[in-house]
Amino acid sequence: MANLKGHIERVTFSSEENAFAVCKLKVKGEKNLVTIVGNMVNPVPGEFVELKGKWTTHPKFGNQLQINNYKTLVPATSFGIQKYLGSGLIKGIGPVMAKRIVKKFGIKSLDIIENSIEKLSQVEGIGKKRVEMIASAWDEQKEVRSVMLFLQSHGVSTAYAAKIFKTYGQDSIHIVKENPYRLARDIFGIGFITADSIAEKLGMEKTAPERIEAGLEYVLHQLSDEGHVCYPYNELCQKIIDILEVDKDLVLKGIGDSFSADRIVIEDINETIEGFEENQKIVFLKKFHICEIGITKNLRRLKTSSKSVRQINTLKALEWIKGQIKITLAQKQGEAVKSSLDEKVLIITGGPGTGKTTIINAIIKIFKKAGAKILLAAPTGRAAKRMSEATWERAQTIHRMLDYSMKQAGFKKNNKNPLKCDVLIIDEASMIDTVLMHHLLKAVPHNATLIFVGDVNQLPSVGPGNVLNDLIVSKAFSVVTLDTIFRQAKKSLIIVNAHRINKGMFPAVANQDKKSNFYFIQKEAPEEVLSTIIDLVQKRIPNRFGCHPVDDIQVLTPMHRGIVGASNLNNELQKILNTNKIAIQRGNREFRVSDKVMQIKNNYDKHTYNGDIGRIIDINFVDQKVLLNFDGRQIDYDFSSLDELVHAYAVSVHKSQGSEYPVVIIPIVTQHYILLQRNLIYTAITRGKRLVVLVGTKKALAMAINTVKSSLRHTRLMHRLKQ
């Protein structure tokens, strides 16, 4: 065992996830820096520490002190204080300002900040506003540290200390002690498993009512992540018993208590429906039940209301539009245009190359001629942008159109303040989940014509529900299915193969030497698939097709884990595509300037939504902010908000919905068998505009093409619409 005192010269590695760090320590009297490894809470260069530990020898890195415990001391030298203050620990103080403060106050600098902070205004460049910023950051840092040390003393990850403090402030420790399960409900990134581990370490019983209730909500949320809006009662009970490892009686009581507290809804089903037995109960989280009922009511309201657009002679309109768009409409296209003039709610569905854009343009022109006010929207920013480019009209995301208000914590456009339009056309409708559809329909005025355009063969929405499919299968609305591929589109192997795969056929593949827009490269081992993808992104595709490796090429993968899962692909692609040294470590991710990143949660405050892709353009260690560019909009992120971002050199197929990329590369290996299904491969292929390359085995591709799991999602919407 050894005792050491010294200041941290540099932090080689620090993981917030498990509070593990590797640092270089400057010890008085020692010529060389000492390597220390072990659990440390957010170590900072310049910090003065006293350590107890055991010497070990690492085969590669030599002598290291393995930390058993440590405490932070106030830095004892002017140099240590300067390094400590300039490390980015305190918002408002960077290396330059730290140097000025220490030059002015020397060894008393920390004492001045702690007890007489107003004196900082004597330092050049520090005005009243910056003094306030430093004071607030200093206090917050002390509080965050106390939360971190509290969590660490209970063996809990310190990764979320800043978020816990931001959410609960001075009450953080009290709330965590009283009911740790609140963390799972209130803080993004902390799930039930983490909260349960904290509760256990704080001595909470496994049978505590708070645990059973939180467990029930956790299971229902997990199921909603799999796409379910509701779940059969008996199967739900069993899942909760398996996860919580408690008796059935306690689970039944917990469900009863949650029902009484109006957090869940239980419905009786008296008829046999796919996925449900007769005379059984189903359970909803309250918000999903409200949404499903709301969708049904609003669609009934829209279908039975009169139109605000004047009566249009359909034959004349069809004749007139031929002269306008210089294209003869195919039979199904003509049918779709005619239905848009006759129906109140219409669904137009079809694959790529079947003329959906032509129809949207024809419909817009006719309604405009009739003097109608038209709104266009799509679920994602990229889909809205594509809609604008194709129609030369303004299209918005549904979120932006409904105008989310942070103040009201909801959309400003609703049943009391509806959208102002006669016609509303929504593209990429397969992506709309139950919650978003509920809010959208609430805001559609009574007399408006509502037209959904989408491809029902794609993957269903990322969020719960299978709304477009339920609307079609219910037969409650007029549906036009486009199935003719136009001559121009037949020249594209991407489009031809998308339709072949949709019919259960193997794609037609071009020889690799021949220039085409669709290739299949056969590689057996996942390691070979990985090295081929790296070669394609770095050299082969940019050299042959003149594409930018980051801006134009998107790797789409079925899974997050594994050698060719999104996580590992991002690590490997970051190494070769971005060598920028300006970086910040968050958990096990390192974000660098120029990195391609994706937003993974709706952030209404910043108007960035799940699936938006951007680039990091600056990391500011003084203000602790990262500046990002999302499609031309520059947005600041606090360091503590970075868990809303993931790297996006490779993304999951699900997250790519609604987007198009010039080049798409798709690994297909048998390790991904759980997710290999026809609509996943179909969705991935239809994201590519100029080039699609599949890398993997024919066996895995055949597995995908032959697997048609309509991936049953438990929902009652189709049944409600039928009624």
Side-chain angles (χ1 to χ4, degrees), residues 221-228 380 430-434 459-466 560 600 610-611 652-658 713:
H221 276 296
Q222 287 285 98
L223 291 165
S224 77
D225 287 345
E226 291 170 25
H228 301 292
T380 65
S430 63
M431 292 181 66
I432 306 175
D433 64 28
T434 301
L459 286 169
S461 56
V462 177
N466 199 355
H560 289 285
I600 56 166
N610 196 343
S652 70
V653 178
H654 250 116
K655 291 281 189 196
S656 72
Q657 282 174 275
R713 292 181 163 205

Side-chain angles (χ1 to χ4, degrees), residues 41 146-156 158 201-202:
V41 179
S146 69
V147 174
M148 278 183 163
L149 291 167
F150 164 74
L151 293 175
Q152 194 195 29
S153 69
H154 289 91
V156 175
T158 61
K201 293 188 170 105
L202 290 171

Side-chain angles (χ1 to χ4, degrees), residues 40-89:
M40 292 188 84
V41 179
N42 193 20
V44 176
E47 194 170 358
F48 206 70
V49 289
E50 186 177 340
L51 309 147
K52 283 184 181 171
K54 198 169 84 177
W55 287 107
T56 60
T57 305
H58 189 280
K60 188 175 176 185
F61 303 111
N63 278 354
Q64 299 179 336
L65 186 80
Q66 191 78 39
I67 304 161
N68 276 14
N69 58 58
Y70 78 100
K71 62 180 177 185
T72 302
L73 307 170
V74 177
T77 65
S78 294
F79 176 74
I81 291 169
Q82 184 182 318
K83 202 161 177 92
Y84 180 68
L85 287 176
S87 65
L89 176 77

Side-chain angles (χ1 to χ4, degrees), residues 345-378:
V345 178
L346 172 68
I347 298 162
I348 300 168
T349 179
T354 55
K356 295 192 294 292
T357 305
T358 303
I359 292 167
I360 293 173
N361 278 321
I363 291 168
I364 289 170
K365 284 189 186 328
I366 293 169
F367 276 122
K368 263 192 152 182
K369 180 79 173 164
K373 179 166 172 45
I374 304 162
L375 284 180
L376 307 180

